[in-house]
Amino acid sequence: VGIYFVSNNNGADTNDGNNPGGPFATLTKALSVAVDGDLIYMYPGVYQEAFPLVVPKGVTIQGDNIKNVEIIPTSATQSNDCFKLNSDVTIENLTVKDFYYDSGNDTGYAFRFRPNATITSRSPYIQNVTVSTKGSNATPSNPLDYASEDAGRAVKADGAVVTANSQEAS
């Protein structure tokens, strides 16, 4: 089991990421090297990432604290899904925010299955996570505009997108 560290305060994606003194700067980089059984630990910070973030099978993403680890999209990807999940994934102790829903493409969910994923032993676990979205028509009297059609969505757990031999696609 490997542990990768991510810090946008003192990290660099050229680091090896496997010790607290040389963390990666982005979750994207950590996900590109993580394999089944690995843990990605995220230090406090606001992480602007290109969505979607595909989480490999069996990888755990653990934020330092739900209140001080925030993941936001780049402006070019703010209507994409945030996390695309595989089997045995765990995501905990973080906040996903500031993304939008695109009704034409049915994208803009914080969490959803990766298309054609095979769920072998358990569905993804999402725990101690805040999803904070807003609509594009926010005003001072309605700062989050949740009622807007383009306010981001939390979860789409559609077992129809995983492979037919998946055991627990729920």
Side-chain angles (χ1 to χ4, degrees), residues 4 7 10 14 32 39 42 50 52 54 70 79 90 97 113 119 136 139 142 145 155 159 161:
Y4 293 101
S7 173
N10 66 340
T14 54
S32 76
L39 168 71
M42 298 183 72
V54 178
E70 297 180 351
S79 292
T90 300
K97 61 189 279 188
F113 288 124
I119 309 300
S136 60
T139 64
N142 183 16
D145 187 33
V155 177
V161 302

Side-chain angles (χ1 to χ4, degrees), residues 34-79:
V35 297
D36 194 351
D38 285 349
L39 168 71
I40 297 171
Y41 181 82
M42 298 183 72
Y43 286 102
V46 177
Y47 295 86
Q48 187 174 43
E49 304 279 346
F51 287 6
L53 298 164
V54 178
V55 184
K57 177 188 181 306
V59 170
T60 295
I61 300 171
Q62 181 182 60
D64 177 72
N65 182 296
I66 191 173
K67 294 181 180 182
N68 61 20
V69 175
E70 297 180 351
I71 299 174
I72 62 172
T74 62
S75 60
T77 64
Q78 65 188 0
S79 292

